[in-house]
């Protein structure tokens, strides 16, 4: 902690859930006070923070430590810093990273060339980067990473390098302070000089970056090529190239810049040239990498304290349209049933203040969808542009919303009706209930009619029939980003039980908070052992009788000719979790406690 800045600590706290921990706290110390001064807090406020932290025993002394206040740990882990290597996430996998030297081999192993097409003059080739995106708002991004990316671009521009013609490169929707910093430091100009498109002030990727060029798309499909996306955020990179087969890699912002210059994942950017300068000389990545002196010079020329002060002046100023909006006179928000922007979610529908609810047993449920291992939350939650021919598009058009104003699901999070219609439609999700040769996404088989339809339409039909339904998945269900909306769409689709071999720790808690019961199949039994086809019915007994955790329930599967029974874990580990489930949500449980 003596050597970790507040941005360092924020990155660690933001990423700590990847370890399975639910949160990470850092103590208050002089570094915290320095950061408060940086963002413009007055001296009186800073003194109050220091006095309060010391009075409460929350203050951490700087080096040398007071031996009496030296913390003790139940587990200590040692990491040799010289063992760390620059890595990429991927391809299309969250299980393990690959070093830069291994990236090409990992790609070729997972996506072997399906053709002998080797024309060196082709406009795009197997393994080429089709999309490169840096998105500081999507993941925890250290200020150093933005400076590094900008300085790599600055030196590349000075040497005459540009992103390859087949690469669509985007620096996506930044936070206000990041945008202002890049503008004031001149790094925005450098990024644009090498071919990156910058989106600011809420502009969307769809508005600035069209889908893949038609001629390139034809070449990719015609020659059975696999191209790549390389992004700084795990859930980015799909909508813009979802018409072709792609390999998805995740990298830090400066490496995204480097690969956009190189143009191919098959190039080892550690040892091979990224391109040639104006004089034809080969340029290596190490020649573009800035020194700490150059990084510090950027900070000194554009100090963050001045940027925060500038932003603070307009912090409470809205757009002209916002300022012209009349102020409501009601003490509470007036829900408008006709609004397509903000609609009252049904999370407290049926709430009874006088009677504690209990989760109910389920009888004769149908399998709505059957998924495999490592399903990411960002694939469950709706993401990307809203297509006019999608359930969400039909919903909006039926309410006279012009298609050109649909934009993306991210702009419609105030309307749960839109969000539930876009759930489970990610191209990477494969529903095992569909035929093996099916390429449909976001669809399932309705068990009664044997009809193929969207998952949303199937839930509507099951509800009209009075038939409960569930989704089933393999290991590590719901991992990664987007867990809040992934859990919300499951609840808003009226799915009250989810069965999996295992859950991501935080996603399990998100489900319970939404009143959805996570059921975990006991060790030694896999999803494939259940031999599910979608024709069977599932019943769950023991849910209504759940007492103090840990609890179990009996799952009965009625096949056409046989009946099987399995004991499953009710994956609720605290009495608070059980209270949230019985009340229907964390909001209902909190409301009851307040009353």
């Amino acid at each position: 902690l003596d050597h970790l800045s507040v941005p360092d600590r924020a990155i660690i706290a933001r990423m700590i859930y990847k370890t399975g921990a639910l949160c990470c706290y850092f103590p208050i110390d002089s570094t915290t006070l320095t950061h408060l001064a940086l963002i413009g807090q007055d001296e009186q406020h800073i003194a109050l923070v220091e006095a309060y932290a010391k009075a409460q025993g929350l203050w951490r002394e700087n080096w040398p430590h007071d031996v009496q206040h030296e913390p003790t740990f139940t587990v200590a882990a040692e990491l040799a810093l010289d063992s760390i290597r620059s890595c990429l996430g991927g391809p299309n996998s969250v299980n393990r990273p690959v070093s830069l030297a291994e990236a090409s081999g990992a790609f070729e192993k997972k996506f072997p060339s399906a053709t002998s097409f080797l024309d060196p003059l082709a406009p795009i080739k197997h393994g080429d980067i089709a999309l490169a995106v840096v998105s500081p708002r999507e993941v925890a991004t250290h200020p150093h990473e933005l400076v590094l990316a900008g300085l790599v671009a600055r030196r590349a521009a000075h040497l005459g390098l540009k992103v390859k013609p087949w690469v669509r490169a985007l620096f996506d929707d930044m936070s206000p302070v990041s945008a202002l910093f890049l503008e004031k430091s001149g790094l925005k100009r450098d990024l644009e000089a090498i071919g990156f498109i910058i989106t600011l002030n809420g502009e969307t990727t769809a508005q600035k970056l069209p889908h893949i060029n038609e001629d390139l798309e034809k070449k990719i499909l015609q020659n059975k090529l696999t191209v790549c996306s390389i992004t700084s955020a795990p859930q980015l990179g799909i909508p813009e190239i979802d018409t072709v087969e792609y390999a998805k890699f995740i990298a830090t912002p400066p490496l995204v810049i480097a690969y956009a210059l190189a143009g191919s994942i098959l190039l080892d950017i550690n040892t091979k040239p990224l391109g040639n300068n104006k004089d034809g000389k080969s340029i290596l990545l190490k020649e573009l990498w800035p020194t700490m002196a150059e990084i510090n010079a950027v900070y000194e020329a554009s100090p963050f304290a001045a940027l925060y002060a500038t932003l603070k002046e307009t912090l409470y100023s809205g757009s002209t349209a916002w300022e012209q909006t009349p102020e409501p006179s009601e003490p509470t928000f007036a829900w408008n049933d006709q609004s397509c922007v903000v609609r009252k979610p049904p999370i407290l529908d049926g709430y009874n203040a006088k009677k504690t609810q209990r989760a109910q047993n389920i009888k004769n449920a149908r399998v709505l969808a059957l998924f495999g291992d490592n399903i990411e939350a960002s694939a469950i939650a709706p993401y990307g542009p809203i297509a006019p021919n999608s359930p969400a598009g039909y919903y909006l058009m039926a309410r006279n919303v012009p298609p050109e104003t649909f934009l993306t699901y991210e702009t419609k999070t105030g309307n749960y009706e839109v969000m539930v219609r876009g759930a489970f439609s990610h191209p990477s999700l494969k529903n095992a209930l569909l035929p093996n040769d099916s390429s449909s996404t976001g669809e399932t088989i309705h068990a009664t009619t044997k009809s193929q339809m969207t998952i949303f339409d199937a839930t509507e039909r099951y509800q009209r029939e009075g038939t409960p339904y569930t989704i089933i998945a393999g290991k590590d269900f719901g991992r990664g980003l987007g867990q809040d909306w992934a859990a919300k769409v499951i609840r808003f689709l009226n799915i009250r039980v989810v069965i999996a071999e295992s859950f991501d720790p935080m996603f399990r808690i998100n489900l319970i908070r939404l009143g959805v019961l996570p059921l975990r199949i006991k060790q030694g039994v896999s999803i494939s052992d259940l031999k599910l086809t979608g024709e069977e019915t599932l019943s769950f007994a023991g849910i209504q009788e759940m007492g103090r955790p840990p609890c179990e329930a009996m799952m009965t599967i009625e096949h056409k000719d046989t009946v099987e029974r399995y004991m499953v874990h009710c994956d609720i580990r605290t009495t608070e979790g059980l209270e949230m489930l019985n009340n229907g949500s964390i909001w209902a449980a909190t409301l009851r406690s307040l009353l």
Side-chain angles (χ1 to χ4, degrees):
L1 289 182
D2 292 325
H3 309 286
L4 290 181
S5 66
V6 167
D8 293 334
R9 299 175 190 187
I11 296 296
I12 293 170
R14 175 65 180 80
M15 300 301 291
I16 200 71
Y17 76 94
K18 291 282 190 182
T19 70
L22 299 183
C23 59
C24 174
Y25 293 106
F26 285 98
I28 299 169
D29 57 17
S30 60
T31 304
T32 313
L33 303 185
T34 302
H35 184 76
L36 291 175
L38 174 71
I39 63 176
Q41 294 289 358
D42 58 53
E43 292 182 4
Q44 184 179 1
H45 176 82
I46 295 171
L48 175 62
V49 170
E50 181 177 3
Y52 180 85
K54 288 180 175 178
Q56 292 287 356
L58 301 175
W59 182 259
R60 173 185 174 272
E61 296 291 346
N62 276 353
W63 188 268
H65 295 304
D66 180 340
V67 176
Q68 292 181 340
H69 293 96
E70 187 73 30
T72 57
F73 300 96
T74 53
V75 177
E78 292 189 5
L79 173 66
L81 296 182
D82 60 1
S83 68
I84 295 174
R85 300 287 180 268
S86 294
C87 290
L88 302 178
N92 295 27
S93 170
V94 291
N95 292 332
R96 62 178 292 269
V98 294
S99 69
L100 300 188
E102 296 174 318
S104 61
F107 168 80
E108 290 177 315
K109 182 178 179 181
K110 194 171 185 70
F111 300 96
S113 178
T115 176
S116 57
F117 178 74
L118 297 171
D119 181 2
L121 299 179
I124 194 164
K125 297 185 283 296
H126 193 67
D128 278 353
I129 307 287
L131 179 70
V133 182
V134 176
S135 183
R137 287 184 71 169
E138 296 291 342
V139 292
T141 303
H142 200 291
H144 268 22
E145 297 290 331
L146 296 183
V147 176
L148 269 171
L151 287 178
V152 168
R154 174 171 293 179
R155 195 167 289 183
H158 177 71
L159 293 171
L161 297 182
K162 288 182 176 291
V163 301
K164 295 297 187 286
W166 55 85
V167 180
R168 286 161 312 125
L170 182 74
F171 222 91
D172 196 24
D173 200 15
M174 291 165 285
S175 66
V177 68
S178 298
L180 187 59
F181 176 70
L182 289 183
E183 183 78 48
K184 295 291 186 183
S185 63
L187 296 176
K188 175 176 179 285
R189 181 179 62 250
D190 298 316
L191 288 161
E192 290 175 328
I194 65 169
F196 270 79
I197 297 172
I198 312 289
T199 63
L200 303 173
N201 302 322
E203 295 171 320
T204 65
T205 305
Q207 289 172 307
K208 295 288 293 250
L209 193 67
H211 279 252
I212 194 166
N213 177 282
E214 284 187 19
D215 292 334
L216 290 182
E217 182 181 356
K218 287 178 182 177
K219 289 290 184 185
I220 294 168
L221 295 173
Q222 178 184 344
N223 297 296
K224 300 179 180 178
L225 307 177
T226 301
V227 294
C228 302
S229 72
I230 187 158
T231 70
S232 66
Q235 73 271 42
L236 287 175
I238 302 301
E240 291 81 12
I241 57 173
D242 60 7
T243 54
V244 300
E245 186 169 11
Y246 66 94
K248 178 181 174 186
F249 288 87
I250 305 163
T252 58
L255 289 182
V256 173
I257 306 294
Y259 273 104
L261 295 169
S264 174
I265 202 69
L266 299 179
L267 188 75
D268 182 354
I269 62 172
N270 257 344
T271 59
K272 302 296 183 183
L274 303 182
N276 297 327
N277 68 1
K278 303 168 186 175
D279 302 323
K281 178 181 177 294
S282 297
I283 303 299
L284 297 170
L285 176 60
K286 64 181 180 181
E287 297 176 68
L288 304 182
W289 210 260
T291 63
M292 278 306 299
E294 290 173 301
I295 293 172
N296 291 333
V298 172
Y299 285 129
E300 291 170 7
S302 304
F304 272 96
L307 301 182
Y308 279 112
T310 301
L311 290 171
K312 204 168 184 179
E313 294 173 3
T314 58
L315 188 62
Y316 297 103
S317 300
S319 63
T320 303
W322 174 260
E323 296 296 345
Q324 292 174 349
T325 302
E327 291 185 32
S329 57
E330 299 87 356
T332 57
F333 184 75
W335 297 102
N336 179 3
D337 290 339
Q338 305 305 313
S339 174
C340 288
V341 180
V342 181
R343 291 181 64 82
K344 183 180 179 181
I347 198 69
L348 287 175
D349 288 357
Y351 175 75
N352 188 333
K354 296 181 179 179
K355 183 179 179 182
T356 303
Q357 298 165 295
R358 290 193 68 83
Q360 300 297 306
N361 294 332
I362 296 173
K363 189 173 183 180
N364 296 330
R366 293 291 189 173
V367 180
L368 180 66
L370 179 61
F371 300 121
D373 296 339
N374 300 316
I375 299 300
E376 295 190 45
S378 57
I380 302 169
Y383 170 74
I386 300 173
N389 61 345
S390 66
Y394 294 138
Y395 166 86
L396 291 170
M397 284 191 289
R399 286 152 183 79
N400 301 315
V401 179
E404 59 270 19
T405 65
F406 285 2
L407 301 180
T408 64
Y409 286 101
E410 293 88 327
T411 65
K412 299 292 189 292
T413 54
N415 187 342
Y416 76 95
E417 295 272 17
V418 173
M419 299 299 282
V420 296
R421 285 165 169 80
F424 297 104
S425 58
H426 198 285
S428 68
L429 275 183
K430 304 300 179 187
N431 184 358
L433 298 186
L434 296 175
N436 291 333
D437 58 350
S438 175
S439 59
S440 301
T441 58
E443 295 192 350
T444 191
I445 302 295
H446 180 255
T448 310
T449 63
K450 304 293 189 295
S451 302
Q452 185 168 328
M453 60 186 69
T454 66
I455 286 178
F456 174 77
D457 288 339
T459 63
E460 293 277 281
R461 185 168 294 193
Y462 280 134
Q463 287 181 66
R464 288 196 299 270
E465 297 170 354
T467 302
Y469 43 89
T470 183
I471 54 177
I472 301 179
K475 298 180 180 69
D476 228 355
F477 184 56
R479 66 190 303 166
L481 303 177
Q483 293 183 355
D484 55 344
W485 262 109
K488 284 177 184 176
V489 293
I490 287 174
R491 166 62 191 273
F492 293 157
L493 286 171
N494 206 31
I495 301 168
R496 304 310 292 264
V497 171
V498 176
I499 305 107
E501 290 184 46
S502 64
F503 293 89
D504 175 273
M506 195 64 217
F507 188 60
R508 179 185 66 82
I509 291 175
N510 272 287
L511 289 173
I512 295 169
R513 287 172 176 169
L514 270 296
V516 179
L517 174 60
L519 292 177
R520 184 160 46 86
I521 298 173
K522 288 198 171 185
Q523 196 168 5
V525 179
S526 67
I527 293 298
S528 59
D529 294 332
L530 304 181
K531 297 181 175 58
L532 299 172
T533 64
E535 296 183 357
E536 56 283 305
T537 60
L538 287 74
S539 299
F540 303 91
I543 296 175
Q544 197 169 343
E545 296 75 29
M546 282 192 299
R548 188 176 182 85
C551 308
E552 290 186 340
M554 178 178 286
M555 177 174 67
T556 302
I557 304 176
E558 295 190 39
H559 297 280
K560 188 175 182 180
D561 302 316
T562 60
V563 176
E564 295 179 336
R565 291 182 175 86
Y566 298 88
M567 295 304 295
V568 291
H569 292 287
C570 300
D571 212 349
I572 300 177
R573 304 178 187 182
T574 63
T575 53
E576 292 81 5
L578 184 58
E579 185 180 355
M580 284 188 279
L581 184 84
N582 282 332
N583 278 278
S585 69
I586 187 175
W587 296 276
T590 303
L591 181 58
R592 184 178 300 283
S593 69
L594 292 173
L595 292 173

